[in-house]
Amino acid sequence: MKIHVYRDLEAQGKAAAALFAAQILKKPDSVLGFATGSTPLRTYAALADLYAQGALDFSRVHTFNLDEYVGMAREHEQSYFNFMYTNLFSKVNIPAENYRLPNGLAADIDRECAEYEAAIEAAGGIDLQFLGIGHDGHIGFNEPCGEFPKATHCVALTPMTIEANKRFFASADEVPRRAISMGIGTIMRARGVVLVIYGADKAEITARALKGPVTPQVPASILQYHPNCTVLLDEAAAAEL
Ligand code: F6R
């Protein structure tokens, strides 16, 4: 694990974007794994800036997102599809057929999970995966549990995650109860992983995930075993390391 600490969030976001930019420059048809939430926003803005400056070409890039809510249409304001479209896909030249998120409206959710996993494999696997972390150590929607989930699967959101995500909805009641998420196995098979964490509220989980025992009770702790994982922290998140 390579751990870098940044003084400000702008520099942290730009550093994460630089890793993705380098990946695209090295391999223009890269398969990238993306996340939603607050953490990647500066990175996506920096990638969009690089594209606007003519420094990056997304025309051959393929992307897979970590997760999507079950029962939510792509067009819904809070869908992860809409998040990605608004913050990145609409701002760069990635063809619409090249980006994919799990389909939360699929009639057969288990089949959708299997097809999503197969599509990642058919694309050659993920070259570089962006990750944020939840306060309970989740990555994607892989919440603390008895064993690391291997493949893309359907998950029930924990009360903590529903609480954390209710800020995007009118009330906690409107937060979807289930999601489709890449598994820990899917994430670990990515050839490279970039984990970005900021804020004092994540200092404790940062220390547990990066320096504590590897356990499915702290799903992100498995990244200690990833052969090519880069962690970008701000000083507040690094405080308990
Ligand atoms: C989002 C995702 C989640 C978030 C995590 C942190 O696609 O998979 O694991 O990365 O919940 O969320 P933020 O960045 O909002 O603190």
Side-chain angles (χ1 to χ4, degrees):
M1 233 176 203
K2 281 170 258 157
I3 302 177
H4 303 281
V5 181
Y6 295 85
R7 254 205 205 132
D8 68 85
L9 301 183
E10 206 58 34
Q12 184 191 37
K14 280 191 177 150
L19 293 174
F20 280 87
Q23 174 64 44
I24 295 170
L25 292 172
K26 186 173 71 180
K27 186 180 171 207
D29 59 347
S30 285
V31 180
L32 305 179
F34 282 144
T36 58
S38 314
T39 307
L41 284 172
R42 286 176 192 81
T43 304
Y44 296 158
L47 285 172
D49 282 349
L50 287 171
Y51 170 70
Q53 291 157 17
L56 269 189
D57 175 16
F58 287 79
S59 63
R60 294 172 61 202
V61 167
H62 283 73
T63 72
F64 290 90
N65 261 74
L66 285 166
D67 38 27
E68 179 59 283
Y69 290 122
V70 168
M72 198 173 264
R74 283 169 152 215
E75 297 72 28
H76 190 288
E77 209 194 336
Q78 293 304 336
S79 76
Y80 287 175
F81 179 91
N82 188 48
F83 176 99
M84 289 307 300
Y85 187 79
T86 306
N87 292 298
L88 186 66
F89 299 153
S90 63
K91 298 184 175 171
V92 299
N93 65 333
I94 182 168
E97 60 275 18
N98 286 16
Y99 50 83
R100 182 158 172 177
L101 285 85
N103 176 9
L105 286 186
D108 183 338
I109 292 293
D110 288 341
R111 187 167 165 186
E112 171 62 16
C113 292
E115 286 180 0
Y116 197 70
E117 191 74 27
I120 294 172
E121 277 209 23
I126 292 169
D127 289 301
L128 193 60
Q129 174 69 51
F130 187 104
L131 292 177
I133 190 174
H135 293 100
D136 58 0
H138 72 235
I139 46 177
F141 268 117
N142 295 283
E143 307 278 5
C145 61
E147 64 181 69
F148 293 110
K150 291 183 181 57
T152 301
H153 61 299
C154 181
V155 283
L157 272 57
T158 62
M160 192 190 234
T161 301
I162 292 169
E163 192 57 29
N165 289 10
K166 78 172 187 199
R167 64 191 195 274
F168 301 114
F169 294 85
S171 71
D173 288 346
E174 287 186 25
V175 183
R177 275 10 193 192
R178 292 193 302 153
I180 295 173
S181 174
M182 282 185 196
I184 293 291
T186 326
I187 293 167
M188 288 298 280
R189 279 189 290 280
R191 287 181 278 280
V193 172
V194 178
L195 171 64
V196 178
I197 315 177
Y198 68 82
D201 57 317
K202 290 199 176 154
E204 189 203 333
I205 194 62
T206 298
R208 288 174 64 205
L210 304 188
K211 300 287 177 201
V214 173
T215 162
Q217 288 302 324
V218 182
S221 64
I222 190 107
L223 296 170
Q224 294 178 35
Y225 291 154
H226 195 285
N228 181 19
C229 177
T230 305
V231 186
L232 308 182
L233 305 174
D234 76 336
E235 287 179 353
E240 293 184 29
L241 279 182

PDB file of all heavy atoms in Angstrom, residues 39-68:
ATOM      1  N   THR A  39     -16.730  11.890  -2.055  1.00  0.00           N
ATOM      2  CA  THR A  39     -15.276  11.731  -2.204  1.00  0.00           C
ATOM      3  C   THR A  39     -14.767  11.954  -3.634  1.00  0.00           C
ATOM      4  O   THR A  39     -13.765  12.645  -3.808  1.00  0.00           O
ATOM      5  CB  THR A  39     -14.844  10.349  -1.681  1.00  0.00           C
ATOM      6  OG1 THR A  39     -15.341  10.205  -0.353  1.00  0.00           O
ATOM      7  CG2 THR A  39     -13.334  10.201  -1.678  1.00  0.00           C
ATOM      8  N   PRO A  40     -15.405  11.393  -4.672  1.00  0.00           N
ATOM      9  CA  PRO A  40     -14.806  11.534  -6.010  1.00  0.00           C
ATOM     10  C   PRO A  40     -15.097  12.852  -6.714  1.00  0.00           C
ATOM     11  O   PRO A  40     -14.585  13.069  -7.821  1.00  0.00           O
ATOM     12  CB  PRO A  40     -15.417  10.361  -6.792  1.00  0.00           C
ATOM     13  CG  PRO A  40     -16.673  10.010  -6.081  1.00  0.00           C
ATOM     14  CD  PRO A  40     -16.544  10.464  -4.671  1.00  0.00           C
ATOM     15  N   LEU A  41     -15.892  13.741  -6.102  1.00  0.00           N
ATOM     16  CA  LEU A  41     -16.338  14.924  -6.848  1.00  0.00           C
ATOM     17  C   LEU A  41     -15.175  15.772  -7.382  1.00  0.00           C
ATOM     18  O   LEU A  41     -15.182  16.186  -8.544  1.00  0.00           O
ATOM     19  CB  LEU A  41     -17.253  15.792  -5.972  1.00  0.00           C
ATOM     20  CG  LEU A  41     -18.674  15.218  -5.820  1.00  0.00           C
ATOM     21  CD1 LEU A  41     -19.463  16.024  -4.789  1.00  0.00           C
ATOM     22  CD2 LEU A  41     -19.406  15.214  -7.163  1.00  0.00           C
ATOM     23  N   ARG A  42     -14.167  16.023  -6.531  1.00  0.00           N
ATOM     24  CA  ARG A  42     -13.035  16.844  -6.991  1.00  0.00           C
ATOM     25  C   ARG A  42     -12.229  16.121  -8.070  1.00  0.00           C
ATOM     26  O   ARG A  42     -11.675  16.742  -8.974  1.00  0.00           O
ATOM     27  CB  ARG A  42     -12.124  17.205  -5.819  1.00  0.00           C
ATOM     28  CG  ARG A  42     -12.734  18.264  -4.934  1.00  0.00           C
ATOM     29  CD  ARG A  42     -11.882  18.550  -3.712  1.00  0.00           C
ATOM     30  NE  ARG A  42     -12.642  19.350  -2.773  1.00  0.00           N
ATOM     31  CZ  ARG A  42     -13.544  18.865  -1.929  1.00  0.00           C
ATOM     32  NH1 ARG A  42     -13.804  17.578  -1.895  1.00  0.00           N
ATOM     33  NH2 ARG A  42     -14.212  19.659  -1.121  1.00  0.00           N
ATOM     34  N   THR A  43     -12.160  14.807  -7.949  1.00  0.00           N
ATOM     35  CA  THR A  43     -11.423  14.026  -8.954  1.00  0.00           C
ATOM     36  C   THR A  43     -12.127  14.115 -10.308  1.00  0.00           C
ATOM     37  O   THR A  43     -11.476  14.326 -11.346  1.00  0.00           O
ATOM     38  CB  THR A  43     -11.328  12.564  -8.493  1.00  0.00           C
ATOM     39  OG1 THR A  43     -10.726  12.548  -7.202  1.00  0.00           O
ATOM     40  CG2 THR A  43     -10.510  11.724  -9.452  1.00  0.00           C
ATOM     41  N   TYR A  44     -13.447  13.966 -10.300  1.00  0.00           N
ATOM     42  CA  TYR A  44     -14.179  14.033 -11.570  1.00  0.00           C
ATOM     43  C   TYR A  44     -14.075  15.435 -12.173  1.00  0.00           C
ATOM     44  O   TYR A  44     -13.917  15.581 -13.396  1.00  0.00           O
ATOM     45  CB  TYR A  44     -15.648  13.624 -11.378  1.00  0.00           C
ATOM     46  CG  TYR A  44     -15.811  12.169 -10.951  1.00  0.00           C
ATOM     47  CD1 TYR A  44     -16.953  11.729 -10.296  1.00  0.00           C
ATOM     48  CD2 TYR A  44     -14.819  11.235 -11.203  1.00  0.00           C
ATOM     49  CE1 TYR A  44     -17.098  10.402  -9.898  1.00  0.00           C
ATOM     50  CE2 TYR A  44     -14.946   9.908 -10.812  1.00  0.00           C
ATOM     51  CZ  TYR A  44     -16.090   9.505 -10.155  1.00  0.00           C
ATOM     52  OH  TYR A  44     -16.223   8.191  -9.763  1.00  0.00           O
ATOM     53  N   ALA A  45     -14.128  16.452 -11.317  1.00  0.00           N
ATOM     54  CA  ALA A  45     -13.999  17.831 -11.824  1.00  0.00           C
ATOM     55  C   ALA A  45     -12.618  18.020 -12.458  1.00  0.00           C
ATOM     56  O   ALA A  45     -12.490  18.623 -13.535  1.00  0.00           O
ATOM     57  CB  ALA A  45     -14.212  18.827 -10.694  1.00  0.00           C
ATOM     58  N   ALA A  46     -11.593  17.468 -11.822  1.00  0.00           N
ATOM     59  CA  ALA A  46     -10.231  17.613 -12.362  1.00  0.00           C
ATOM     60  C   ALA A  46     -10.088  16.837 -13.671  1.00  0.00           C
ATOM     61  O   ALA A  46      -9.418  17.295 -14.606  1.00  0.00           O
ATOM     62  CB  ALA A  46      -9.200  17.140 -11.338  1.00  0.00           C
ATOM     63  N   LEU A  47     -10.710  15.674 -13.771  1.00  0.00           N
ATOM     64  CA  LEU A  47     -10.659  14.900 -15.023  1.00  0.00           C
ATOM     65  C   LEU A  47     -11.387  15.660 -16.141  1.00  0.00           C
ATOM     66  O   LEU A  47     -10.914  15.710 -17.282  1.00  0.00           O
ATOM     67  CB  LEU A  47     -11.281  13.512 -14.828  1.00  0.00           C
ATOM     68  CG  LEU A  47     -10.435  12.498 -14.053  1.00  0.00           C
ATOM     69  CD1 LEU A  47     -11.239  11.228 -13.766  1.00  0.00           C
ATOM     70  CD2 LEU A  47      -9.145  12.147 -14.816  1.00  0.00           C
ATOM     71  N   ALA A  48     -12.535  16.259 -15.801  1.00  0.00           N
ATOM     72  CA  ALA A  48     -13.286  17.036 -16.798  1.00  0.00           C
ATOM     73  C   ALA A  48     -12.445  18.235 -17.260  1.00  0.00           C
ATOM     74  O   ALA A  48     -12.436  18.576 -18.452  1.00  0.00           O
ATOM     75  CB  ALA A  48     -14.628  17.490 -16.220  1.00  0.00           C
ATOM     76  N   ASP A  49     -11.722  18.849 -16.327  1.00  0.00           N
ATOM     77  CA  ASP A  49     -10.846  19.975 -16.687  1.00  0.00           C
ATOM     78  C   ASP A  49      -9.750  19.519 -17.653  1.00  0.00           C
ATOM     79  O   ASP A  49      -9.453  20.191 -18.639  1.00  0.00           O
ATOM     80  CB  ASP A  49     -10.164  20.570 -15.441  1.00  0.00           C
ATOM     81  CG  ASP A  49     -11.116  21.459 -14.667  1.00  0.00           C
ATOM     82  OD1 ASP A  49     -12.200  21.775 -15.195  1.00  0.00           O
ATOM     83  OD2 ASP A  49     -10.773  21.812 -13.517  1.00  0.00           O
ATOM     84  N   LEU A  50      -9.146  18.375 -17.355  1.00  0.00           N
ATOM     85  CA  LEU A  50      -8.076  17.868 -18.225  1.00  0.00           C
ATOM     86  C   LEU A  50      -8.617  17.605 -19.626  1.00  0.00           C
ATOM     87  O   LEU A  50      -7.954  17.882 -20.632  1.00  0.00           O
ATOM     88  CB  LEU A  50      -7.466  16.584 -17.640  1.00  0.00           C
ATOM     89  CG  LEU A  50      -6.574  16.775 -16.413  1.00  0.00           C
ATOM     90  CD1 LEU A  50      -6.213  15.436 -15.782  1.00  0.00           C
ATOM     91  CD2 LEU A  50      -5.292  17.534 -16.800  1.00  0.00           C
ATOM     92  N   TYR A  51      -9.845  17.082 -19.685  1.00  0.00           N
ATOM     93  CA  TYR A  51     -10.463  16.848 -20.991  1.00  0.00           C
ATOM     94  C   TYR A  51     -10.692  18.192 -21.717  1.00  0.00           C
ATOM     95  O   TYR A  51     -10.346  18.336 -22.903  1.00  0.00           O
ATOM     96  CB  TYR A  51     -11.783  16.089 -20.842  1.00  0.00           C
ATOM     97  CG  TYR A  51     -12.539  16.052 -22.138  1.00  0.00           C
ATOM     98  CD1 TYR A  51     -12.080  15.287 -23.199  1.00  0.00           C
ATOM     99  CD2 TYR A  51     -13.682  16.836 -22.319  1.00  0.00           C
ATOM    100  CE1 TYR A  51     -12.739  15.293 -24.417  1.00  0.00           C
ATOM    101  CE2 TYR A  51     -14.344  16.843 -23.524  1.00  0.00           C
ATOM    102  CZ  TYR A  51     -13.868  16.070 -24.576  1.00  0.00           C
ATOM    103  OH  TYR A  51     -14.510  16.092 -25.779  1.00  0.00           O
ATOM    104  N   ALA A  52     -11.221  19.167 -20.985  1.00  0.00           N
ATOM    105  CA  ALA A  52     -11.507  20.481 -21.587  1.00  0.00           C
ATOM    106  C   ALA A  52     -10.228  21.141 -22.104  1.00  0.00           C
ATOM    107  O   ALA A  52     -10.251  21.870 -23.098  1.00  0.00           O
ATOM    108  CB  ALA A  52     -12.198  21.387 -20.563  1.00  0.00           C
ATOM    109  N   GLN A  53      -9.115  20.859 -21.437  1.00  0.00           N
ATOM    110  CA  GLN A  53      -7.829  21.435 -21.883  1.00  0.00           C
ATOM    111  C   GLN A  53      -7.228  20.660 -23.058  1.00  0.00           C
ATOM    112  O   GLN A  53      -6.144  20.984 -23.543  1.00  0.00           O
ATOM    113  CB  GLN A  53      -6.814  21.416 -20.728  1.00  0.00           C
ATOM    114  CG  GLN A  53      -7.145  22.368 -19.583  1.00  0.00           C
ATOM    115  CD  GLN A  53      -6.483  21.931 -18.274  1.00  0.00           C
ATOM    116  OE1 GLN A  53      -5.553  21.123 -18.278  1.00  0.00           O
ATOM    117  NE2 GLN A  53      -6.983  22.443 -17.163  1.00  0.00           N
ATOM    118  N   GLY A  54      -7.898  19.588 -23.455  1.00  0.00           N
ATOM    119  CA  GLY A  54      -7.378  18.790 -24.571  1.00  0.00           C
ATOM    120  C   GLY A  54      -6.304  17.802 -24.156  1.00  0.00           C
ATOM    121  O   GLY A  54      -5.614  17.229 -24.993  1.00  0.00           O
ATOM    122  N   ALA A  55      -6.163  17.590 -22.848  1.00  0.00           N
ATOM    123  CA  ALA A  55      -5.082  16.728 -22.359  1.00  0.00           C
ATOM    124  C   ALA A  55      -5.483  15.264 -22.257  1.00  0.00           C
ATOM    125  O   ALA A  55      -4.623  14.399 -22.082  1.00  0.00           O
ATOM    126  CB  ALA A  55      -4.601  17.232 -20.998  1.00  0.00           C
ATOM    127  N   LEU A  56      -6.771  14.972 -22.339  1.00  0.00           N
ATOM    128  CA  LEU A  56      -7.228  13.582 -22.160  1.00  0.00           C
ATOM    129  C   LEU A  56      -8.293  13.226 -23.170  1.00  0.00           C
ATOM    130  O   LEU A  56      -9.149  14.061 -23.498  1.00  0.00           O
ATOM    131  CB  LEU A  56      -7.857  13.409 -20.768  1.00  0.00           C
ATOM    132  CG  LEU A  56      -6.988  12.978 -19.598  1.00  0.00           C
ATOM    133  CD1 LEU A  56      -7.897  12.671 -18.409  1.00  0.00           C
ATOM    134  CD2 LEU A  56      -6.136  11.759 -19.935  1.00  0.00           C
ATOM    135  N   ASP A  57      -8.273  11.985 -23.617  1.00  0.00           N
ATOM    136  CA  ASP A  57      -9.273  11.498 -24.571  1.00  0.00           C
ATOM    137  C   ASP A  57      -9.953  10.267 -23.962  1.00  0.00           C
ATOM    138  O   ASP A  57      -9.291   9.273 -23.659  1.00  0.00           O
ATOM    139  CB  ASP A  57      -8.562  11.134 -25.880  1.00  0.00           C
ATOM    140  CG  ASP A  57      -9.499  10.506 -26.889  1.00  0.00           C
ATOM    141  OD1 ASP A  57     -10.734  10.627 -26.717  1.00  0.00           O
ATOM    142  OD2 ASP A  57      -9.003   9.885 -27.853  1.00  0.00           O
ATOM    143  N   PHE A  58     -11.275  10.367 -23.777  1.00  0.00           N
ATOM    144  CA  PHE A  58     -12.021   9.263 -23.159  1.00  0.00           C
ATOM    145  C   PHE A  58     -12.724   8.395 -24.203  1.00  0.00           C
ATOM    146  O   PHE A  58     -13.529   7.536 -23.846  1.00  0.00           O
ATOM    147  CB  PHE A  58     -13.088   9.817 -22.198  1.00  0.00           C
ATOM    148  CG  PHE A  58     -12.533  10.377 -20.911  1.00  0.00           C
ATOM    149  CD1 PHE A  58     -11.960  11.644 -20.868  1.00  0.00           C
ATOM    150  CD2 PHE A  58     -12.590   9.640 -19.737  1.00  0.00           C
ATOM    151  CE1 PHE A  58     -11.454  12.167 -19.687  1.00  0.00           C
ATOM    152  CE2 PHE A  58     -12.082  10.151 -18.544  1.00  0.00           C
ATOM    153  CZ  PHE A  58     -11.517  11.422 -18.519  1.00  0.00           C
ATOM    154  N   SER A  59     -12.433   8.609 -25.489  1.00  0.00           N
ATOM    155  CA  SER A  59     -13.249   7.965 -26.522  1.00  0.00           C
ATOM    156  C   SER A  59     -13.119   6.445 -26.542  1.00  0.00           C
ATOM    157  O   SER A  59     -13.995   5.756 -27.037  1.00  0.00           O
ATOM    158  CB  SER A  59     -12.911   8.537 -27.903  1.00  0.00           C
ATOM    159  OG  SER A  59     -11.567   8.245 -28.228  1.00  0.00           O
ATOM    160  N   ARG A  60     -12.032   5.908 -25.981  1.00  0.00           N
ATOM    161  CA  ARG A  60     -11.871   4.442 -25.986  1.00  0.00           C
ATOM    162  C   ARG A  60     -11.949   3.846 -24.578  1.00  0.00           C
ATOM    163  O   ARG A  60     -11.755   2.643 -24.385  1.00  0.00           O
ATOM    164  CB  ARG A  60     -10.545   4.073 -26.661  1.00  0.00           C
ATOM    165  CG  ARG A  60     -10.562   4.447 -28.154  1.00  0.00           C
ATOM    166  CD  ARG A  60      -9.185   4.274 -28.779  1.00  0.00           C
ATOM    167  NE  ARG A  60      -8.719   2.912 -28.694  1.00  0.00           N
ATOM    168  CZ  ARG A  60      -7.432   2.547 -28.762  1.00  0.00           C
ATOM    169  NH1 ARG A  60      -6.499   3.467 -28.912  1.00  0.00           N
ATOM    170  NH2 ARG A  60      -7.087   1.277 -28.664  1.00  0.00           N
ATOM    171  N   VAL A  61     -12.209   4.726 -23.609  1.00  0.00           N
ATOM    172  CA  VAL A  61     -12.283   4.272 -22.215  1.00  0.00           C
ATOM    173  C   VAL A  61     -13.621   3.565 -21.962  1.00  0.00           C
ATOM    174  O   VAL A  61     -14.650   3.957 -22.512  1.00  0.00           O
ATOM    175  CB  VAL A  61     -12.147   5.505 -21.280  1.00  0.00           C
ATOM    176  CG1 VAL A  61     -12.536   5.170 -19.846  1.00  0.00           C
ATOM    177  CG2 VAL A  61     -10.730   6.061 -21.341  1.00  0.00           C
ATOM    178  N   HIS A  62     -13.588   2.507 -21.153  1.00  0.00           N
ATOM    179  CA  HIS A  62     -14.818   1.859 -20.676  1.00  0.00           C
ATOM    180  C   HIS A  62     -14.875   2.018 -19.159  1.00  0.00           C
ATOM    181  O   HIS A  62     -13.822   1.978 -18.494  1.00  0.00           O
ATOM    182  CB  HIS A  62     -14.832   0.368 -21.021  1.00  0.00           C
ATOM    183  CG  HIS A  62     -15.162   0.107 -22.461  1.00  0.00           C
ATOM    184  ND1 HIS A  62     -14.272   0.356 -23.478  1.00  0.00           N
ATOM    185  CD2 HIS A  62     -16.291  -0.354 -23.058  1.00  0.00           C
ATOM    186  CE1 HIS A  62     -14.840   0.051 -24.636  1.00  0.00           C
ATOM    187  NE2 HIS A  62     -16.067  -0.377 -24.412  1.00  0.00           N
ATOM    188  N   THR A  63     -16.067   2.186 -18.608  1.00  0.00           N
ATOM    189  CA  THR A  63     -16.160   2.319 -17.150  1.00  0.00           C
ATOM    190  C   THR A  63     -17.270   1.436 -16.578  1.00  0.00           C
ATOM    191  O   THR A  63     -18.279   1.173 -17.233  1.00  0.00           O
ATOM    192  CB  THR A  63     -16.437   3.782 -16.717  1.00  0.00           C
ATOM    193  OG1 THR A  63     -17.783   4.127 -17.039  1.00  0.00           O
ATOM    194  CG2 THR A  63     -15.483   4.757 -17.383  1.00  0.00           C
ATOM    195  N   PHE A  64     -17.036   1.005 -15.366  1.00  0.00           N
ATOM    196  CA  PHE A  64     -18.038   0.270 -14.576  1.00  0.00           C
ATOM    197  C   PHE A  64     -18.114   0.940 -13.212  1.00  0.00           C
ATOM    198  O   PHE A  64     -17.069   1.189 -12.597  1.00  0.00           O
ATOM    199  CB  PHE A  64     -17.611  -1.192 -14.387  1.00  0.00           C
ATOM    200  CG  PHE A  64     -17.684  -2.001 -15.646  1.00  0.00           C
ATOM    201  CD1 PHE A  64     -16.587  -2.082 -16.494  1.00  0.00           C
ATOM    202  CD2 PHE A  64     -18.855  -2.666 -15.996  1.00  0.00           C
ATOM    203  CE1 PHE A  64     -16.642  -2.821 -17.664  1.00  0.00           C
ATOM    204  CE2 PHE A  64     -18.915  -3.409 -17.161  1.00  0.00           C
ATOM    205  CZ  PHE A  64     -17.810  -3.487 -18.005  1.00  0.00           C
ATOM    206  N   ASN A  65     -19.316   1.223 -12.752  1.00  0.00           N
ATOM    207  CA  ASN A  65     -19.424   1.798 -11.409  1.00  0.00           C
ATOM    208  C   ASN A  65     -19.585   0.715 -10.362  1.00  0.00           C
ATOM    209  O   ASN A  65     -20.039  -0.394 -10.642  1.00  0.00           O
ATOM    210  CB  ASN A  65     -20.607   2.759 -11.343  1.00  0.00           C
ATOM    211  CG  ASN A  65     -20.164   4.189 -11.500  1.00  0.00           C
ATOM    212  OD1 ASN A  65     -19.824   4.595 -12.612  1.00  0.00           O
ATOM    213  ND2 ASN A  65     -20.113   4.941 -10.411  1.00  0.00           N
ATOM    214  N   LEU A  66     -19.224   1.092  -9.148  1.00  0.00           N
ATOM    215  CA  LEU A  66     -19.299   0.143  -8.036  1.00  0.00           C
ATOM    216  C   LEU A  66     -20.712  -0.321  -7.748  1.00  0.00           C
ATOM    217  O   LEU A  66     -20.928  -1.484  -7.392  1.00  0.00           O
ATOM    218  CB  LEU A  66     -18.787   0.811  -6.748  1.00  0.00           C
ATOM    219  CG  LEU A  66     -17.293   0.995  -6.593  1.00  0.00           C
ATOM    220  CD1 LEU A  66     -17.017   1.952  -5.444  1.00  0.00           C
ATOM    221  CD2 LEU A  66     -16.649  -0.361  -6.325  1.00  0.00           C
ATOM    222  N   ASP A  67     -21.673   0.599  -7.864  1.00  0.00           N
ATOM    223  CA  ASP A  67     -22.985   0.248  -7.310  1.00  0.00           C
ATOM    224  C   ASP A  67     -24.119   1.111  -7.860  1.00  0.00           C
ATOM    225  O   ASP A  67     -23.890   2.127  -8.510  1.00  0.00           O
ATOM    226  CB  ASP A  67     -22.952   0.341  -5.774  1.00  0.00           C
ATOM    227  CG  ASP A  67     -22.122   1.506  -5.257  1.00  0.00           C
ATOM    228  OD1 ASP A  67     -21.991   2.508  -5.985  1.00  0.00           O
ATOM    229  OD2 ASP A  67     -21.610   1.417  -4.127  1.00  0.00           O
ATOM    230  N   GLU A  68     -25.327   0.663  -7.587  1.00  0.00           N
ATOM    231  CA  GLU A  68     -26.546   1.408  -7.941  1.00  0.00           C
ATOM    232  C   GLU A  68     -27.666   0.937  -7.023  1.00  0.00           C
ATOM    233  O   GLU A  68     -27.691  -0.224  -6.579  1.00  0.00           O
ATOM    234  CB  GLU A  68     -26.925   1.162  -9.408  1.00  0.00           C
ATOM    235  CG  GLU A  68     -28.188   1.854  -9.911  1.00  0.00           C
ATOM    236  CD  GLU A  68     -28.159   3.387  -9.808  1.00  0.00           C
ATOM    237  OE1 GLU A  68     -28.343   3.891  -8.670  1.00  0.00           O
ATOM    238  OE2 GLU A  68     -27.960   4.065 -10.833  1.00  0.00           O
TER     239      GLU A  68
END
